[in-house]
Each structure stands twice: as C-alpha cells, then as structure tokens.
Amino acid sequence: MERVTLADLNRRSVLFGTGALVLAFTLKPALAQTKSPGDETQNFQAVAQPAPELPGSLKTNPNLESWLRVEASGKATIFTGKAELGQGIKTALLQIAAEELKIPFERLSLVGPDTVLSPNEGYTAGSHSIQDSGTAIRHAAAQAREILLAEAGRRLSVPVEQLRAADGAITGPGGEKLGYGELVSDHLIEGRAQPTSKLTAPDQFVEMGKPRRRIDIPAKVTGGAAYIQDMRPDGMLHGRIVRPPSPGARLQAVDLSQAETMPGVVKVIRDGNFLAVIADKEWQAIKAMRALSAAAQWQETATLPDMADLPAVLMAMPADDGIVADKRGPVSAARSEEATFTRPYQIHGSIGPSCGLAQLVDGLTTVWTHTQGVYPDQKAIAQMLGVPIEKVRCIHVEGSGCYGHNGADDAGADAALLAQVVPGRPVRVQWMREQEHAWEPFSPGMVTKVRAGLDDKGNVVDWNYELWSNGHNSRPGTAGALLGAQHIAKAFPLDAQKLQITPEGNGDRNSNPLYAFPSRHVVWHFLADAPIRVSALRGLGAYMNVFSIENFMDDLASKAGADPVEYRLRHLDDQRARDVVERAARNFGWKAGQKAPEDHGFGFAFARYKNLAAYCAVAMEVKVEKETGRVRLIRATSAVDAGEVVNPDGVANQVQGGIIQAASWTLYEAATFDRTRITSVDWSTYPIMRFDALPQAVDVDIIPRPGTPFLGAGECGQGPGGAAVANAITNAIGRRIYDLPLTREKVRAAAQLRA
Amino acid sequence: MVALTVNGKTHQVDVDPDTPLLYVLRGELELNAAKYGCGLGQCGACTVLVDGEPVFSCVTPVLVLEGRKVTTVEGLGTLEAPGPLQQAFIEEQAAQCGYCIAGMMMRAQALLQRNAAATDEEIKAHMEPNLCRCGTHMRIMAAIKRAGKLMQTASAASTGRTG
Ligand code: FES
Ligand code: FES
C-alpha cells in the first residue's frame, strides 16, 4: 500500500508533503544566494509577480517546469526569458544549471526567449540576466536535483542522505546508479518552487566560477548560422523600408509604379508615411527601395533642437523634478567648488543594422527578432496589427550586439507589417546602415551640474548635484514605441514618459555618489519632451553621471593637493568599494604624487554600478599628441567585484569591452543634426574607436566573493572606463574638458591654452 | 550568368551583374560568414579575400570577379577542423556578439599569409579599416597573434617534414 502511494507521488507532494522525502529540503538551511539585490521591477514592467517571495525570476514564473525539463534520454533543457546579446549569457546560464542539477554541461540545451516556450522575464537589460534568470535557474535546478534524489531514494529504498547526485545520475551507498533519464517521469519535476533551495556550496563548485568557452563562438567563427541575418526559411522574401528623410516629415505624394515594375519586386507598400518594398532577392529589394525613395515627395518640418546650443536648450525645457537623494546635515563648508558637464546625443551603433523576420500563417504572425524583450514586443506588435495577443508569437534570434534599445524592436515590427501583405511567405527586413544611424533611438543628451561644499582640508562636506535629461527608456510599452506603428496611417502615439525615481535609476542612475558625504542633495530635472527619439543605451544615465562625479572628484582632489586615489578612499566607507579601488591602483602601479612620462597621463575612476550591482575601478594611462590633440590609450587596469561569478572569462570579456566602448563614447561620439534632419548617418559622420587608439592591455582583476549574491557586471565598466580616460587626458594636458566628447579639436585647444 | 570561384569551387550564379559580391555569397551561395554592416565600405564586416587581398564585398560588383578567387571564412576551415585563425579566435574567446569577427578574420588572414610574425603595430595598422562595436579589439589582437604562431608552427612542421 505504501509503495503504491509512493509510486503516485508527484513532486508537489514531495515538496509540500510530510515525511522522509521532505528531509532533503529541511535538513539544512538554504545557503546564501536566495536574494539578489536591486529592484527587479524595472525589467519586469507589466510582468505579474504571482510569487514575490521567490528568488530571481521565479517571482514571475514560479513553476519549475517553466525553467527546466529533464528528458528520458538523460539530457535536460533549460528555458530562459533572457536573450543572448553577445554577453555570453547562454553559456553562463547553462553553467549554473549544470552545477545545481549535477549534470554534465554538454547534456544541456537552452531554449528561449520565445513567447510560446519560455518564461516571461521582461527585458534583458540592466545587467540583470544572471541576477534574475540565473538565480531562478539555479534554484529550479537545485530543487529538481532534490526531487530526483528523493525519487532515487524511493526506488532504491535508501535514505536520501546516503545518495549522491553527480554527472546526471544518482549513486547509492553500494554503488547502485540511476541515471536522471531513468528517474524522470511525466510531472515529476513540476509545480511551484519553494522559496529556499539546497544550493551547492561554492567550495564544491565544479562548473560555476570556472572559465568556460562560450557555446556560441564556434559557429560564429566558422560561418555557421548564428544570427537572425543568417536565417533563410523556404520561400523567404526580402523587404526594405523607405524611411522619411527626417523625423518630422510627412509623405506628400509618391509614384509607386516604377518600383512596382522592377525585376523581382513582389509588392510595394504605402500605408500613411510607411513606405516599403518586398522583392525576391535582397539586391532587388535594395534597388527597388532606392527607386521608391526617389519617387517619394515629403514635406519636412524643422522639429530638432539647436545642436550648437544643446545644453541651454535642455536646461530651458520644462522639467519635473525628481529628488534622488536628500540628506542634509548641518554643514559648515569653508568654501565650495562647482562644475557643469555636458554630453551630446549618442547612438548604439550596432555593427549589424537591425533585422527582423516575420511570417503570417493561419492568422498567426510569427516574428523572429533580436529584441531584448519578446513578451513586450508581442504585446506591442499585436496592438499595432489590431489582433489579439495570442495571434503574435515572438522568438528571439541573436543579432549584432545592441547595447540597449536599438532598432531591433522596430525591425521586428516592420517585418510583421510586411508579412501581413504576403500571407504565408516569410519576409526578412534588413535595415540599411543610414537607417540604423538615423532612426534607432538615441541615448539622450544630458547636462549635469555639481557643487561641493568643502572643509578646510578640501574634503567634501556637502554635495549638490543636478542633472537634466529625458527618460532613458522608451521601450514597448505600447505600439506607439514602434517606429513603423508611428508611421502607418493608423498611427499610434508614443507613450508619454513619466518621471520615476527607483533604486536602480534611469537618467539618474548612479547620480547619487557612493562616497560617504555627510550632506547631499541630488535632483533629476526630468524632461518629458523628447525632441529626438531616445531610449536605453548600456548603463542609461550611469555613464554620464559617473563621468561627471569622477571628473569632479579629480578636480577636488587636485584643489585639495591630494592624490586622486587617496582622495577617493578618504570618502569611501564601503569596504568592497575600497577593495576594488585599492586593487586597481596596486595592479596599475599607482603611486601618490607620481608623474606620468612626457605627454602621458594617468587617470583613475570608480563606481558601483547602480549603487547596488558590481563594483568597478579603472586606472588608465593615455598618450596625448599635443599638436594634434590625438589621444591613444596606453593601458587600462581594472578591478571588479561582481559577487559570485559564474564565468570569470565572460565577466572579463564584458568589462574589457565596456571600457573600450566607453573610451569610444568619451573620445569620439556625438550624433549630429540640423534643425530638420539627422546628419550623422554613417561611420564617417559618426566615428568610433579604431585599432590605432587601442591600448596595449586592458586588465580585469576579479575579486572573488564566493557565496555572495550575483552582482550584475555587464555594464559596470561604462562609467569608470570613460571617466578614467578623461582624468588621464586632464593629467596629461593640465586642463579638464567638461563637454563630451573629448575630440581631437577640443584636446588640442585645451592643451594649447595650457601651453 | 556569372562564373564565380569561392573557396575553391566554381559556381554559376544567375544575378544582375551589378549585384555586390556580398549578396551573392549570402543569398545565392548561402554562405553566412560575410556580413552586411554598412554597404558603404566603412566597417569591414563584409571583408573577404579576392586573390588573397582583402576587399569589401558589399561594394564589389560580382561582374568584376570572373576568373578571380574568392575566399571567405568558410574557406578557412570547419567546425570539426578549424583553421589556425578559427582555432585562435576560439582559444582566445575573441568575440562578444561576434558580428564583426568574420570580417576581422579575413582581413587578418591577408596579413598573416604574408607575414605570420606581424608585430602589434603592424596588426593594428592593417586592421584599421575594420570596426568592432563591442570593444573586443584586445582579444581580436591576441587571437591574430596566436593564429600567426599557429601558422608558423605548422609551416615549420611541414618544412621539417618535406625538407
Ligand atoms: S558592410 Fe562592407 S564595409 Fe561595411
Ligand atoms: S564582437 Fe560585436 S561588433 Fe565586434
């Protein structure tokens, strides 16, 4: 009788029932890692949280079967709602699953994001993938392993404590072995997860914390089908969009006939201000696009701000004030210093322009997209098409690196629109370079103003910081967030941006310094009107805020006659912050009072990303050719504390890349426009980092913190990386430049003023 | 019809003669490696070798390629038997998104087959036309140097064998 009961036992009763089988869950308290810091709601906008007590994304998807499935073959499938964006997330998530499930890495495969198959984890953004999805997968895998142990214990009639899970099998005390494939049955690993799990102790790790080669790289270096651009479903057609010449342009007239008669052309589409062609071959589509573009007459309006006067324009715009920090103490400042910093609009500039693929079959539109959020896109695209949400399926396929909200969602929506015109046929829409440069949502221009009250030793006793910026997130949302939906005749309006002050921050991200200033006031002058389409670029406001704070800290240090590293440490209580600062300085060979070689400069910067994710300090050496203003990076040394690290080489790769990318933003990048049109439309009008400016080395030293929560690391290098370049240039030329980017012309002028 | 030799195989392709090589490689021959990045000769994502020299396939009409030898990343080796550059890029984990990488490899191949012992400065100067947005440059440099060493070892070994 008892045997029968046990045979019927499903996992729900294993977890919630009473008796021996539950012991596995109650014997030991759960190890650390049940909670990651941060307000995860940002990435879960509009995602219901049925289980807020559960760790990571189990909050939104509490059932084990949402996360993994063990197959009878002994293999397992892991499901994630987070997208591979070139940050190596697939590999890291599988490492976590392999570790906790106790299964060889090679037996795992990963599915998702896909609105049919994978959990809804909102957006892949904000360095959250390991924190959200990794935490959920870790707990789900650990709980699945305990279920398998319990099932083996039952079959072998051995107490669970005498069993060992390893290599995808459970071994008993006498060496008897049951593979996971033998143990698993329908519904065994299902139902709601528990809030705590029996996690593997870090000193037992065989997979996590070990560098592992990324699973996506071999295909990428051998011509495998690795990207959405490489998809060629049967019957695929090629679409191209003709975008208006400027954001305010309206279509006056267009003659479709020439494009319609061109070879290979299947359809020419006009829908309001939305113009497109569909052709058999890609080059035919491009030629038809050009012909259609030439045949269109637009009425253009000047809607763009005055680029030459951008800071003043931003500061004069109506603003909602959000108080980020307000902690005023009694202050007796001996004197004060202030500075204003500006940043132009900048772009994501993916090397591969955005691409979307869609097919309408029996009323269901399937969209393959390199979006960061399949579920939000599903909703927005369904709204745009005027169909119920279940009539759209979005499947993530990797694209070129996006670094935030680029044209991915828009290209997916474009493809969905074109797919309606040729039912049954898959349509691939590839944006042109000029379209990506001009139409992707930019990262907003910003102004920051900082004033510090100082004591007689030059230490900060009072800190006032203001920033002027649009919101940095206009992701869908509603259909109005999609470019195509703004252009079609039945146009959808853009979602209004609202000021929100959250722990993670937006434009105000990292605007509140981690330094232990006794009195502080930080305010975001939130600009609701966006004269240029803007959205999330890697780090949101953190890059500019850290740039401003860390440049200013160097100014203050120099006024106090202090070494920049020592001056920072004076103001830092947080031990982990001190550790990365000291480690980066030591590895660099930083010495107080040292002088860089002729024409060289040393710079230092620090931040804890979002004040709650990874800590990062960067020391940088640059060389400046004073006659030309040309800057070369010589070497960069960084120290990072990302809590528990899953794939150290993956973190190193992300931080190295982040520092180089931030150096590029800092030295070269500004979107340009006249009052009507965007004028930075290719790589010659929007230059970025090239090989000649590269340093000899970018070192990343990861401070191990086993057993502590994961701290998102993918964006932690952006702020300190950029600020360290600026501080090094200042050190080399003896003058600071307050307006980004620090172009050759500005560096040359500043160096000459000094000389 | 245009006759095109790619990775040692000759193909007859039925396209407009003004079609850039990139679209023939991707669309007609279904080769994935060469990538569309700009179509303007500004980024190098589409770089392939023509008679051993790097060219931007996005601005090279297929018409001018009759009788010339085109090499793409697919011609450097396979998943099972990767060539030196492929092996080196895997060993150095020299990719983030990887979108720029095929173009990087082809430009590097042109240099290494001339001079497998190229210095850092020579590599940087040679790689100047190619853009990477992820900031993978340091690893790309390391992978090119590693590939150079692999090629030198291989050629030393084969010289040893034959000589
Ligand atoms: S795609 Fe050919 S150079 Fe950019
Ligand atoms: S690795 Fe992403 S563009 Fe180079």
Side-chain angles (χ1 to χ4, degrees), chain A residues 351 400-401 403, chain B residues 95-101 131-136 140:
Chain A
I351 290 297
S400 180
Y403 331 106
Chain B
Q96 288 183 60
C97 78
Y99 197 88
C100 68
I101 295 295
L131 296 177
C132 171
R133 187 54 165 162
C134 295
T136 313
I140 294 169

Side-chain angles (χ1 to χ4, degrees), chain A residues 86 213-214 217-218 220-225 227 229-230 232 281-283 286-287 347-349 351-353 400-401 403 431-433 649 653-654 656-657 660-661 665 669 682-684 688 690-692 694-697, chain B residues 14-16 18-20 23 26 28 30-33 35-38 40 42-43 45 73-74 78-79 86 89-91 93 95-99 101 104-105 124 127-131 133-135 137-141:
Chain A
R213 287 186 180 174
R214 275 171 41 187
I217 290 182
K220 289 176 177 177
V221 301
T222 53
Y227 305 92
Q229 283 89 348
D230 302 333
R232 293 179 198 88
K281 294 189 180 191
E282 191 161 13
W283 184 241
I286 292 171
K287 289 205 281 191
I347 70 168
H348 302 78
I351 290 297
S400 180
Y403 331 106
W431 279 23
M432 306 302 288
R433 167 52 53 204
D649 190 58
N653 200 354
Q654 281 286 290
Q656 276 177 341
I660 300 273
Q661 189 179 58
W665 296 350
E669 299 187 27
D682 60 12
W683 296 120
S684 69
I688 62 169
R690 287 180 179 274
F691 276 89
D692 69 338
L694 280 191
Q696 292 140 10
Chain B
D14 180 15
V15 294
D16 295 349
D18 66 343
T19 308
Y23 298 103
R26 297 190 56 84
E28 310 302 314
E30 305 201 347
L31 296 172
N32 293 316
K35 293 283 186 283
Y36 171 74
C38 65
L40 304 164
Q42 292 182 346
C43 76
V73 159
E74 287 88 347
T78 60
L79 213 50
Q86 293 168 321
F89 271 73
I90 292 172
E91 283 168 0
Q93 291 286 285
Q96 288 183 60
C97 78
Y99 197 88
I101 295 295
M104 295 282 182
M105 290 168 73
K124 278 188 198 175
M127 297 303 290
E128 193 64 8
N130 284 43
L131 296 177
R133 187 54 165 162
C134 295
H137 306 74
M138 304 308 296
R139 287 177 181 228
I140 294 169
M141 293 282 300

